[in-house]
Amino acid sequence: MEQEQGSKGIFLSIDWMTILLYVILIVWGWFSVCGACYDFNNPDLFSWETNSGKQIVWAGTSLVLAAALMLIEKRIYDTTAYITYIFMMVLLAVTIIIAPDTKGSHSWLPIGSSVKIQPAEFAKFSVALALGKLMDRYGYNIKNLKDIGTAIGIILLPMLLIIAQKETGSALVYFAFFLMLYREGMTGSLLFTGFACVTYFVVGMKFSESYIDNMPVSIGEFSVLLMAMLFTIGMVWVYCRNRQAVKIMAYTCFGGTALAMLFSIFVIPFNVCYVMVGFCLLMIGYIIGLAIYTRLIRYGLIALFAIISTSFFYITDSLFERLDDHQRIRIEVLLGMKDDPRGAGYNVNQAKIAIGSGGLFGKGFLNGTQTKLRYVPEQHTDFIFCTVGEEEGFVGSAGVLIVYLLFIWRLIVVAERQPDTMGRVYGYSVMCIFLFHLFINVGMVLGLTPVIGIPLPFFSYGGSSLWGFTLLLFIFLRMDAERNLKRQ
Amino acid sequence: MKNHLYEYRKFVLGGIALAIVVCYIVRLAFLQLSDEEYKSRADNNAFFNNVIFPARGTIYDRNDSLLVFNQPAYDIMVIMREVNNLDTLDFCQTVGITRQQFDERMATIKDRNKNPGYSTYTQQLFMPQISAQEYGIFQEKMFRFHGFYLRERTIRRYATDHCAHILGDVAEVSSAEVEKDSYYTPGDYIGKQGVERSYEAELRGVKGVEILLRDSRGRIQGHYRNGEFDRKPVPGKNITLSIDAKLQALGERLMEGKMGAIVAIEPKTGEILCMVSAPSYDPHRMEGKQRGVQMMEMQRDPMKPMLNRAISGTYPPGSTFKTSQGLTFLQEGIITSSTAYPCSRGFRFGGMKVGCHGHGAPLPLIPAIATSCNGYFCWGLFHMLNNRQKYKTIQEAITTWKDYMVSMGFGYKLGIDLPGEARGMIPNADYYDRRLGKWNALGVISIAIGQGEVTLTPLQIANLGATIANRGYYITPHIVKKIEGGQLADSLLVKHKTKVDKQYYQMVAEGMRKAVLGGTCRGANNPKYAVCGKTGTAQNRGKDHSAFMGFAPMEDPKIAVAVYVENGGFGATYGVPIGALIMEQYINGELSPASQAKAEMFRQRHIDYGTRAR
């Protein structure tokens, strides 16, 4: 009797809004797959012979999977979280060895004759569960070095295994968990350091070969050093509120740099960056001094940040020189330093043509020439957003992004209403994974982020990814449905 | 356990998501809404315009006998990725090439520098224009040669051995022509010379196009929108020339072994009945693949067989020009029909001497034309240029004279519908002022007898004959009589009146009639119809050029003709008899047996030009 009431209560508590958004995305995705996979010799969109027909089967089975997941109680995940995690890690490790070579990666496990699955797509939920379980533990403190170390270890292990499968793109997705950790209280400076490093890299690389007029000063080097000063001083201001120290450092560094610039312009042109490095070192020394004087660990961390910032340009520059040619070209093309429309930039270039030719309302369903005629490689999987852009135009592609934004907003709302840490951690993990996929996948098609082969959830063709995302999402929806039940 | 301490961070994460989506929407707006370039690049990727070539119009003579037609030819095409298990030896034997040529050809196709549009998925040209026999053999064996195909193209064939200069030829467009006219793409055929060139727009028709969808590997995937935007080709228009093929053939036979030209015009219509330029060549030499080699050979020939002397050659008209002088003097009132000038074996005045042959003197205009008296016309021009009552200066006098000449179609292009027409030379006051500084009538007197600075094309000489035949007007001479389903340009049908009245033309015609009956043109006489004629013997650095201008019959003329034989001597030697044969052939439709024998004799009389290049 009680059980029945419970089920009824759960049914009423299901977040139908998320499910609605989920169904919209899957249906919308199917229409895009139709455009991307159109076969002139077999125009039947529902035939098992075509990818669009198969995608219907994947979507149907996903709905069955979703319904089944709604029947599994949360306590089962709670009790099996670590075992599931260990099992998935073993599976990932085994995959490295037994998976056949598929385009250079060892990540696909054949099941039977025609179906293959990619364990990496299914490992995410187990990591999210394990993290939830870990952080739900009584007395877990994210400020505690050991506690956060464990969490990071749980994230890094599958990353390493997936990198070993030569699926670097899928491994990078696990960085999404750091966003979740930030919500749970990890210091924001870590995220900021990551952001600063990416900015240094992009700016430094892109402008390393351009020079300020009439001066032997590389714009890239100059800007990175200037940013290093700015960020460091900013951190001292934000985290230590030491107005005096900020004044001293700002006047010295910016004043000194300005004087050096004037000298270089009007007297003898020389590389101002040497002077700037000098001022950076002075600044680092000053902050270390402050650290010793005040016995505050923050000054030490800021000093560390300043050291990383100052040396970052020189370290990446020398590492960059040592990269393989194809990797270096990929980065250079992405940063717009090289134009290579037939080689490394071909995908992105054709993707931009596809999207750009869509205009405001697009060319109409199945009328996209660029996608229908296979100009964009991987267009039904990683580059599926091209089809949306070409056939549905600005209205359609902006629409997809807005639906995604609603979806992510809804996940945040649902995660925040979880009564326990496990639910919230899991919910944020789910939301961050979707956000990361959206960010990288759409950014890559638009030519804004590196070409990393990860799918756009619910749009990209393929059973593994669709099932993987369904699994991830519906475990969370079931957890959420139990939010009003008293914990036993 | 709720974690309220960091709950504010949900806004940070939500903000990040919002920022990403906003950034991407802005980027999408830039890509999709501001830049049209992506659209055209997508179209360039996807659309393959398969051009369908129309049949080029055929060409007939005025009696509807076929001169130029199309014949199918076949290009052997190859799709590289479909070539497998090729019996290379058998293949090479079938198409008649060596193993080495085969390998070289295949290598050239694959070389992207030489063949920029290379794709292993699409047809590449392996061998152009194979003959009908080769086609038959190849087609039988084609099933064994995987990846090889035949593509139909038409080549131009000639049904005549004559008319090479008139008909012209077709060949692949040059890059300059492609640049000038966007209709053409490299590999198209275009008329290069003759009627093929001047009537290119009518003959070529309009290309059709099928808009096909091409995938990233260059394979065709079907019609765009089921062929909604496809266009059918419009075939070229057939053209009927005003040329009489038999007359043309006779003219070309008569001019064998000589240099020069014959032009015959129907005076009433301006239609050109024959236009011979010698030396000529067999138009078959320009057919198909061999054209390039043949062109090179002919361009190196010092006799310049490719030059159409009838319209591009400029010659001193000699005594044929005297008719125009008589007309001018009459109209300007310098002379009347009874004005007589002395001639003591020429024109002598103040140390100036222009020689003449023996005849009675002094004499008036009509006998002066009949005997071709140099003295008469020199005196006429002398009096005109020095007439200070009528003209204030000698410049004004020569300008008046020039205006008469221009009104007769000299000094400028007549506007014939063939490429390469020259304008000839009629000097004006400005020219003499610059060339001679201070000058007087004596210094330029030789222009009165068609020497000196004056040059005309054979076409202009024939047109002078047509104008006298019409007694004072001419229609722009033209070579095309009819365009099927089209109209001749208005400029070809315009009636040009000269500045001289009809009555004066009648006098000159009488003089020309007298020349045939008892003057220099006796050889042109024909008992069946009244011939009018005027000889010309033009001095130049070598032996005199032999010229003749005439028309017949005198009343209601059917044909006006000009004959010009370089270094032929007296006008009566070559010009008169050849002109007479041309008129006889056209008016009677055939030559009498005696004339046939005469024609054969002139055909075999060659002039030795040595090896000098002209």
Side-chain angles (χ1 to χ4, degrees):
Chain A
M1 223 18 222
E2 233 185 85
Q3 191 66 30
E4 265 181 35
Q5 263 188 345
S7 302
K8 205 173 181 186
I10 283 170
F11 184 78
L12 290 173
S13 306
I14 291 175
D15 192 58
W16 291 104
M17 172 84 171
T18 311
I19 294 185
L20 176 69
L21 292 168
Y22 165 80
V23 172
I24 290 175
L25 288 171
I26 284 196
V27 172
W28 203 332
W30 179 75
F31 280 109
S32 312
V33 169
C34 287
C37 298
Y38 187 82
D39 182 350
F40 284 86
N41 299 321
N42 193 356
D44 182 359
L45 297 174
F46 301 99
S47 153
W48 171 248
E49 301 298 314
T50 62
N51 284 341
S52 48
K54 284 185 191 164
Q55 186 74 0
I56 291 179
V57 176
W58 306 144
T61 49
S62 293
L63 291 178
V64 174
L65 176 69
L69 286 166
M70 292 312 286
L71 299 175
I72 300 173
E73 287 174 42
K74 181 178 177 185
R75 65 183 165 86
I76 296 179
Y77 298 118
D78 198 39
T79 46
T80 59
Y82 290 139
I83 299 168
T84 313
Y85 178 77
I86 292 164
F87 172 76
M88 287 311 293
M89 293 309 111
V90 172
L91 186 62
L92 285 176
V94 170
T95 306
I96 303 172
I97 303 157
I98 66 170
D101 193 313
T102 313
K103 288 182 200 160
S105 85
H106 296 267
S107 63
W108 290 92
L109 278 185
I111 296 178
S113 58
S114 63
V115 182
K116 290 187 296 184
I117 62 156
Q118 198 175 18
E121 289 293 343
F122 298 99
K124 290 167 205 155
F125 92 95
S126 70
V127 175
L129 280 179
L131 284 172
K133 173 90 178 167
L134 174 78
M135 295 168 78
D136 205 6
R137 201 183 61 201
Y138 179 74
Y140 181 86
N141 182 4
I142 203 160
K143 304 285 182 201
N144 181 312
L145 212 57
K146 197 179 145 224
D147 282 355
I148 187 130
T150 315
I152 291 175
I154 287 177
I155 298 168
L156 288 184
L157 176 63
M159 278 181 88
L160 293 174
L161 290 170
I162 295 170
I163 289 172
Q165 292 175 357
K166 304 242 160 60
E167 274 288 324
T168 322
S170 304
L172 290 175
V173 174
Y174 288 81
F175 276 124
F177 288 107
F178 285 93
L179 266 184
M180 181 276 289
L181 291 181
Y182 170 71
R183 164 63 186 87
E184 288 303 310
M186 186 183 76
T187 170
S189 55
L190 264 181
L191 276 187
F192 183 78
T193 308
F195 166 77
C197 286
V198 171
T199 313
Y200 293 157
F201 181 74
V202 172
V203 174
M205 281 296 130
K206 186 157 184 160
F207 300 108
S208 65
E209 298 296 320
S210 32
Y211 292 88
I212 300 172
D213 285 344
N214 303 324
M215 265 188 274
V217 182
S218 152
I219 294 178
E221 196 180 353
F222 180 79
S223 330
V224 168
L225 289 168
L226 206 63
M227 279 191 289
M229 292 172 178
L230 203 65
F231 290 164
T232 309
I233 295 169
M235 279 178 129
V236 172
W237 172 248
V238 170
Y239 290 108
C240 307
R241 299 273 159 195
N242 187 338
R243 186 185 283 261
Q244 174 133 29
V246 168
K247 264 189 190 166
I248 291 171
M249 288 192 292
Y251 289 149
T252 322
C253 292
F254 298 131
T257 306
L259 283 177
M261 283 295 284
L262 290 173
F263 186 81
S264 176
I265 294 169
F266 294 110
V267 187
I268 303 161
F270 75 107
N271 194 346
V272 179
C273 294
Y274 295 136
V275 175
M276 293 175 81
V277 171
F279 280 115
C280 283
L281 293 176
L282 261 177
M283 186 174 73
I284 292 164
Y286 178 71
I287 297 171
I288 292 173
L290 277 176
I292 295 165
Y293 179 72
T294 60
R295 309 276 165 91
L296 279 174
I297 187 87
R298 326 178 148 170
Y299 283 114
L301 291 174
I302 293 172
L304 187 66
F305 173 82
I307 292 168
I308 294 172
S309 297
T310 310
S311 56
F312 193 82
F313 176 80
Y314 304 97
I315 293 171
T316 49
D317 203 35
S318 66
L319 283 180
F320 191 67
E321 293 299 313
R322 276 176 219 161
L323 277 179
D324 283 347
D325 275 350
H326 73 274
Q327 288 170 319
R328 196 167 57 224
I329 288 170
R330 232 180 211 198
I331 293 170
E332 285 173 342
V333 168
L334 179 77
L335 295 178
M337 292 159 66
K338 281 230 172 79
D339 198 18
D340 184 15
R342 276 277 149 197
Y346 177 79
N347 294 16
V348 174
N349 197 40
Q350 291 294 341
K352 278 200 271 185
I353 292 175
I355 291 177
S357 65
L360 183 59
F361 293 110
K363 299 176 185 170
F365 181 55
L366 298 184
N367 281 334
T369 54
Q370 191 70 7
T371 43
K372 209 158 88 169
L373 296 167
R374 310 267 182 278
Y375 280 93
V376 186
E378 301 297 335
Q379 54 181 336
H380 61 299
T381 57
D382 297 345
F383 281 84
I384 189 76
F385 197 68
C386 295
T387 316
V388 183
E390 187 177 21
E391 297 194 341
E392 293 157 35
F394 177 72
V395 171
S397 33
V400 169
L401 291 176
I402 287 166
V403 172
Y404 255 108
L405 187 62
L406 286 174
F407 182 70
I408 283 162
W409 161 77
R410 189 67 201 162
L411 287 177
I412 293 176
V413 169
V414 175
E416 281 297 335
R417 76 184 183 198
Q418 295 308 302
D420 56 7
T421 309
M422 168 113 184
R424 192 179 60 245
V425 167
Y426 188 85
Y428 267 104
S429 300
V430 172
M431 169 270 181
C432 292
I433 287 168
F434 281 119
L435 180 59
F436 191 86
H437 273 267
L438 181 74
F439 171 63
I440 293 293
N441 182 287
V442 177
M444 143 184 113
V445 173
L446 295 177
L448 296 173
T449 56
V451 180
I452 295 168
I454 60 171
L456 183 62
F458 313 127
F459 272 73
S460 291
Y461 168 80
S464 268
S465 81
L466 193 50
W467 289 346
F469 291 121
T470 303
L471 185 70
L472 197 63
L473 180 64
F474 278 84
I475 289 175
F476 177 53
L477 288 182
R478 167 70 203 204
M479 286 180 178
D480 172 60
E482 286 183 39
R483 69 186 180 277
N484 294 325
L485 294 184
K486 286 246 154 62
R487 273 187 123 185
Q488 269 103 25
Chain B
M1 181 178 51
K2 282 258 184 188
N3 182 347
H4 293 292
L5 183 55
Y6 297 108
E7 201 181 329
Y8 74 92
R9 290 190 172 177
K10 74 180 178 191
F11 296 114
V12 178
L13 296 185
I16 291 174
L18 182 66
I20 290 172
V21 168
V22 168
C23 273
Y24 286 1
I25 288 178
V26 170
R27 171 73 168 175
L28 277 171
F30 267 105
L31 284 178
Q32 299 186 303
L33 305 181
S34 70
D35 209 337
E36 280 293 304
E37 191 207 334
Y38 290 109
K39 201 162 271 170
S40 68
R41 284 172 72 185
D43 290 352
N44 285 346
N45 270 345
F47 296 136
F48 173 69
N49 293 339
N50 185 37
V51 176
I52 310 163
F53 291 95
R56 201 174 169 87
T58 46
I59 304 178
Y60 301 89
D61 89 333
R62 66 185 295 121
N63 301 317
D64 290 327
S65 67
L66 184 64
L67 299 177
V68 185
F69 61 103
N70 299 311
Q71 195 181 50
Y74 297 88
D75 294 344
I76 299 181
M77 310 297 289
V78 60
I79 296 180
M80 283 299 180
R81 70 164 35 227
E82 293 178 9
V83 178
N84 58 26
N85 296 325
L86 180 68
D87 182 348
T88 316
L89 191 68
D90 187 20
F91 180 85
C92 289
Q93 277 173 353
T94 308
V95 302
I97 55 173
T98 65
R99 177 66 205 248
Q100 197 193 352
Q101 285 171 320
F102 176 85
D103 291 338
E104 277 169 13
R105 186 62 206 140
M106 290 301 244
T108 313
I109 292 173
K110 287 177 188 162
D111 186 343
R112 278 183 200 272
N113 291 328
K114 292 176 189 159
N115 185 14
Y118 177 65
S119 160
T120 56
Y121 292 88
T122 57
Q123 293 196 353
Q124 307 290 318
L125 180 65
F126 179 81
M127 209 173 150
Q129 298 177 5
I130 60 167
S131 68
Q133 290 146 317
E134 286 170 319
Y135 165 73
I137 302 166
F138 189 83
Q139 210 190 20
E140 262 174 37
K141 291 188 174 182
M142 209 165 74
F143 72 96
R144 273 191 276 166
F145 306 141
H146 296 290
F148 285 89
Y149 299 87
L150 287 165
R151 177 178 73 177
E152 199 177 324
R153 275 207 94 159
T154 57
I155 54 170
R156 223 46 177 157
R157 297 304 291 262
Y158 298 90
T160 172
D161 303 334
H162 306 286
C163 309
H165 293 110
I166 299 163
L167 297 172
D169 54 9
V170 295
E172 282 193 9
V173 284
S174 66
S175 46
E177 285 161 336
V178 173
E179 223 164 85
K180 220 169 73 186
D181 187 343
S182 61
Y183 176 85
Y184 299 101
T185 47
D188 286 1
Y189 288 135
I190 189 173
K192 290 284 186 184
Q193 301 172 92
V195 168
E196 295 276 19
R197 175 156 157 202
S198 52
Y199 285 88
E200 166 69 11
E202 286 79 8
L203 287 168
R204 74 184 177 195
V206 181
K207 285 189 275 191
V209 68
E210 292 177 317
I211 302 173
L212 302 173
L213 291 171
R214 174 178 56 185
D215 72 8
S216 56
R217 289 169 161 178
R219 288 176 300 202
I220 298 306
Q221 297 283 13
H223 284 257
Y224 177 61
R225 295 239 182 133
N226 292 319
E228 201 182 305
F229 296 103
D230 293 1
R231 275 199 318 269
K232 285 220 158 60
V234 181
K237 293 171 181 157
N238 296 339
I239 278 181
T240 304
L241 300 183
S242 59
I243 294 292
D244 181 321
K246 276 190 207 150
L247 190 66
Q248 178 76 17
L250 172 67
E252 288 188 24
R253 276 205 305 279
L254 292 173
M255 290 299 284
E256 269 178 35
K258 307 161 192 74
M259 287 207 281
I262 304 174
V263 178
I265 298 175
E266 185 177 71
K268 273 195 210 67
T269 57
E271 288 170 8
I272 294 171
L273 301 169
C274 82
M275 177 184 278
V276 178
S277 173
S280 185
Y281 59 92
D282 185 341
H284 292 104
R285 292 175 74 177
M286 292 305 194
E287 282 173 0
K289 286 187 279 188
Q290 52 182 350
R291 178 178 182 274
V293 181
Q294 297 287 342
M295 279 272 286
M296 289 268 281
E297 198 176 296
M298 284 194 275
Q299 272 164 355
R300 275 201 300 264
D301 189 333
M303 308 279 276
K304 293 196 181 163
M306 305 268 299
L307 180 71
N308 187 354
R309 290 170 163 79
I311 56 172
S312 308
T314 53
Y315 300 100
S319 305
T320 59
F321 197 62
K322 287 172 184 164
T323 51
S324 69
Q325 303 309 298
L327 291 165
T328 308
F329 304 153
L330 285 168
Q331 184 73 31
E332 279 294 291
I334 306 299
I335 58 170
T336 65
S337 61
S338 55
T339 309
Y341 288 126
C343 174
S344 50
R345 297 196 82 79
F347 169 82
R348 290 161 198 276
F349 186 84
M352 182 73 199
K353 178 180 181 290
V354 177
C356 193
H357 49 90
H359 56 74
L363 74 189
L365 178 67
I366 291 174
I369 290 174
T371 56
S372 195
C373 171
N374 287 342
Y376 186 91
F377 295 97
C378 288
W379 279 118
L381 187 66
F382 183 79
H383 284 130
M384 179 172 174
L385 294 182
N386 289 333
N387 189 334
R388 285 294 158 272
Q389 276 115 40
K390 212 166 159 60
Y391 318 107
K392 285 194 195 74
T393 59
I394 193 166
Q395 278 82 4
E396 194 184 319
I398 199 86
T399 302
T400 308
W401 176 83
K402 180 216 70 180
D403 290 344
Y404 274 90
M405 295 303 108
V406 170
S407 82
M408 293 177 195
F410 307 146
Y412 289 93
K413 291 179 183 182
L414 281 167
I416 187 178
D417 47 351
L418 279 178
E421 190 190 357
R423 59 184 283 192
M425 172 72 190
I426 294 295
N428 58 18
D430 215 37
Y431 173 84
Y432 282 128
D433 287 345
R434 266 187 290 114
R435 273 286 298 275
L436 307 174
K438 215 172 140 41
W439 55 281
N440 58 30
L442 288 179
V444 302
I445 204 72
S446 61
I447 60 176
I449 56 167
Q451 297 285 159
E453 289 81 8
V454 170
T455 59
L456 300 185
T457 64
L459 179 71
Q460 284 168 329
I461 302 174
N463 192 51
L464 172 62
T467 313
I468 300 168
N470 287 334
R471 311 292 194 268
Y473 71 88
Y474 70 92
I475 314 281
T476 309
H478 51 275
I479 202 97
V480 168
K481 187 179 165 70
K482 201 167 74 193
I483 303 169
E484 191 184 290
Q487 275 193 323
L488 284 188
D490 292 339
S491 63
L492 297 178
L493 304 172
V494 175
K495 192 168 167 176
H496 301 268
K497 260 195 75 57
T498 70
K499 296 181 72 166
V500 180
D501 294 345
K502 194 174 174 183
Q503 70 214 53
Y504 301 128
Y505 271 101
Q506 185 59 34
M507 287 181 204
V508 170
E510 275 166 31
M512 287 172 71
R513 178 69 186 138
K514 284 255 163 56
V516 172
L517 290 176
T520 51
C521 288
R522 280 182 297 266
N525 196 14
N526 190 301
K528 289 195 178 155
Y529 47 85
V531 177
C532 299
K534 180 74 203 78
T535 52
T537 307
Q539 290 167 7
N540 70 100
R541 270 175 242 126
K543 196 179 171 192
D544 291 350
H545 297 318
S546 170
F548 171 75
M549 173 194 76
F551 60 91
M554 184 177 179
E555 305 306 328
D556 190 23
K558 288 195 168 61
I559 180 170
V561 65
V563 179
Y564 208 97
V565 179
E566 293 181 33
N567 308 112
F570 292 116
T573 315
Y574 282 103
V576 175
I578 290 176
L581 288 166
I582 293 290
M583 287 189 279
E584 184 183 347
Q585 167 72 37
Y586 184 69
I587 292 170
N588 290 348
E590 58 181 2
L591 293 179
S592 67
S595 296
Q596 276 178 28
K598 201 164 132 196
E600 187 56 28
M601 186 185 82
F602 273 99
R603 182 187 164 198
Q604 286 175 7
R605 260 167 71 175
H606 292 185
I607 299 172
D608 180 14
Y609 293 98
T611 52
R612 85 202 154 90
R614 287 195 60 90

